[in-house]
Amino acid sequence: MAGQRLGSSRVSKPEAAVFVSGVASMGLEILAGRIVAPQFGSSIYTWGSIIGVFLAALSLGYHHGGQRAAERAADHQLVRLFLGTAAYVAVLIFAGDLLLASTAAIPLPGRFASLPAVTLLFGPPTYLLGFVSPYGAELSGREVVGEASGHVYAVGTVGSIVGAFGTTFFLIPELSIVQIELAFGLLLVGTALWLAAPTFRRRQVAATLAVGLLLVAAAASGSLGVSAAGQVVYQTQTPYQELEVIDLGDTRTLYLDGQRHSAMDLSDPDRHVFDYTRYFHLPYLMAEDPDDIDRVLFVGGGGFTGPKRFLEEYNATVDVVEIDPEVIDAAKRYFGVEESPRLNVYNEDGRRYLRETNRTYDLIVLDAYKKDKVPFQLTTAEFMRLADSRLSAHGILFANLISAPDGPASKFYRAEYKTVSEVFPQVYAFPTSETGAIQNVELLATKRDGRVTKAQLRERNDRRDVGIDLSNEISFYRSDERTDDVPVLRDDHAPVDSLLDPMVGQRYVIETSPDANETVVDGDPAERPAVVESPGRAGI
């Protein structure tokens, strides 16, 4: 029988097939998050869609495979299943971005937007892999049905564990998405070739070679999807995201998961390319005495635009906490960041750092929020109280949010405004665009009882030398937001994903700095001082 064991100490072909199907299915599921995130974000809704689609496709494959196993299960059928799955992986490599873009146009509520893409990209290959376990049970040679099914599903689960840990801890940190897809495709092709041995059929050999060449050709040619314009200086997969450094003219931009996070003018590295980073200087007008701001903490690194400019303009010591080690490395290699006695960089989670440090800061800048995925532990009242405890008596909290200033898409901003107001006596807001689109909205909070008016800020801007004219930024001053329809965010209840949901699919607008020579709109130079658009977040 084809399914009989080759020897007590050797793995049978059905067992190997089931094991590989588990590795591939779980590996693709982990990888799906990286593939879908640039288009649809990585919120709980995206991950819920990924998990649901994979479970549904596997279940359907199990069901149909079980119906056909008694009559059709054979090694050559397993060969077909693996080659069919590998061929679809080649399609993902070659046209994955194009398929993602096409599904993005389907009119669905934001929380369901990623469902068609996940279904189209990963439903078919996962469905085919679902056939392998029931076929493997039929070919196992075990006479007791329960024993056979239990054994193959245990082997498949072990394969899934290997696929999950291997993809998460080894493949993603070391290889690009295309390289990982190619690795899984070649694993499937190699397994098909081994299953066909030793009596190779001519058609099997031809099909195996064809699919293998298709995979290599797809990986060599790259995908058809729209990518960021410019020269790719550096690209890697980090433990948290895909990272790219791209040059376009004199502008170097840091992309995380395909979205702009920071930019630097190569001819003038300290210039603010994006207008919202100019708002980082507002605390020097908000403070009673700007000389009181001696020590600053930035939570979130990006390209270090704010920290570098602070070192240039002010006599302050700057600490930066960044959770992603690859972001720190890229900032040092490509954005001119050099640690010194005045600039200290810590690779750590922001909340954990604040909990464990004994330092006191005069200004804490929070810039670790994304448009589509916000670390909720950095948004809650408990976190704000922790930040308050690490601020000096005259300390200021600054938070760079991405939200709309008004309308349904403003829920996250208004909930954060309400949460910060629970801890700090005075809270101020500064949108960064005249439009009602999704944009950077800056929150400032102080411990003082008295409120600083717009007129006072204008007077201080005229009188103080803070290294930058903030007249335009002050004009966006606003306060007393409506918060009766949004919750206070707490550790035990912070529905951040629900609050972000109205923003899904909407334009994200980043105004360029007034002294910018050009503006980038979806990767192309624009002749007018318009905006930079992106569905992701902008970091510092």
Side-chain angles (χ1 to χ4, degrees), residues 144-411:
V144 181
V145 174
E147 181 185 4
S149 60
H151 178 71
V152 298
Y153 286 113
V155 171
T157 301
V158 172
S160 296
I161 294 171
V162 172
F165 284 111
T167 305
T168 301
F169 295 104
F170 299 102
L171 296 182
I172 288 178
E174 299 296 331
L175 303 176
S176 69
I177 289 176
V178 170
Q179 290 172 331
I180 297 171
E181 291 173 323
L182 177 62
F184 282 129
L186 293 178
L187 173 64
L188 295 168
V189 169
T191 303
L193 192 63
W194 183 68
L195 289 170
T199 58
F200 297 101
R201 298 180 182 180
R202 183 175 299 176
R203 289 183 179 179
Q204 289 178 334
V205 174
T208 302
L209 291 176
V211 174
L213 290 174
L214 183 64
L215 283 163
V216 174
S221 64
S223 65
L224 291 176
V226 178
S227 62
Q231 178 186 358
V232 178
V233 178
Y234 177 68
Q235 188 276 337
T236 188
Q237 291 289 330
T238 84
Y240 301 92
Q241 57 222 330
E242 181 185 47
L243 182 152
E244 293 177 301
V245 178
I246 296 178
D247 286 352
L248 180 63
D250 287 336
T251 301
R252 171 165 291 174
T253 304
L254 175 68
Y255 285 78
L256 298 178
D257 278 339
Q259 313 305 333
R260 301 176 185 90
H261 280 231
S262 186
M264 180 180 73
D265 187 335
L266 295 174
S267 61
D268 185 5
D270 292 324
R271 181 176 71 81
H272 292 286
V273 176
F274 295 153
D275 184 55
Y276 80 91
T277 59
R278 295 167 57 88
Y279 289 75
F280 293 164
H281 300 268
L282 278 171
Y284 283 87
L285 298 182
M286 196 68 67
E288 289 293 335
D289 184 351
D291 292 333
D292 287 341
I293 303 179
D294 293 324
R295 194 167 195 109
V296 180
L297 172 67
F298 281 81
V299 179
F304 284 61
T305 301
K308 289 192 299 180
R309 187 63 181 262
F310 274 33
L311 294 176
E312 181 75 17
E313 298 290 348
Y314 311 123
N315 184 25
T317 299
V318 180
D319 295 343
V320 180
V321 178
E322 167 59 52
I323 195 171
D324 193 333
E326 295 292 342
V327 170
I328 296 174
D329 180 64
K332 292 179 177 179
R333 292 168 61 187
Y334 301 105
F335 290 87
V337 174
E338 296 182 4
E339 290 192 68
S340 68
R342 292 182 56 217
L343 177 61
N344 307 291
V345 182
Y346 302 94
N347 178 207
E348 202 167 337
D349 172 76
R351 182 161 176 169
R352 180 177 180 180
Y353 174 84
L354 280 174
R355 186 171 61 245
E356 296 179 353
T357 187
N358 57 6
R359 291 192 177 98
T360 299
Y361 293 96
D362 305 304
L363 171 62
I364 295 177
V365 179
L366 303 179
D367 192 27
Y369 302 156
K370 294 184 179 181
K371 173 177 178 279
D372 62 320
K373 185 179 181 183
V374 174
F376 85 91
Q377 70 273 16
L378 301 182
T379 70
T380 63
E382 289 84 352
F383 173 76
M384 298 305 166
R385 280 193 284 271
L386 174 61
D388 176 62
S389 71
R390 296 296 182 262
L391 284 169
S392 60
H394 53 266
I396 298 173
L397 178 74
F398 182 103
N400 175 35
L401 312 180
I402 295 179
S403 186
D406 301 289
S410 68
K411 287 185 176 181

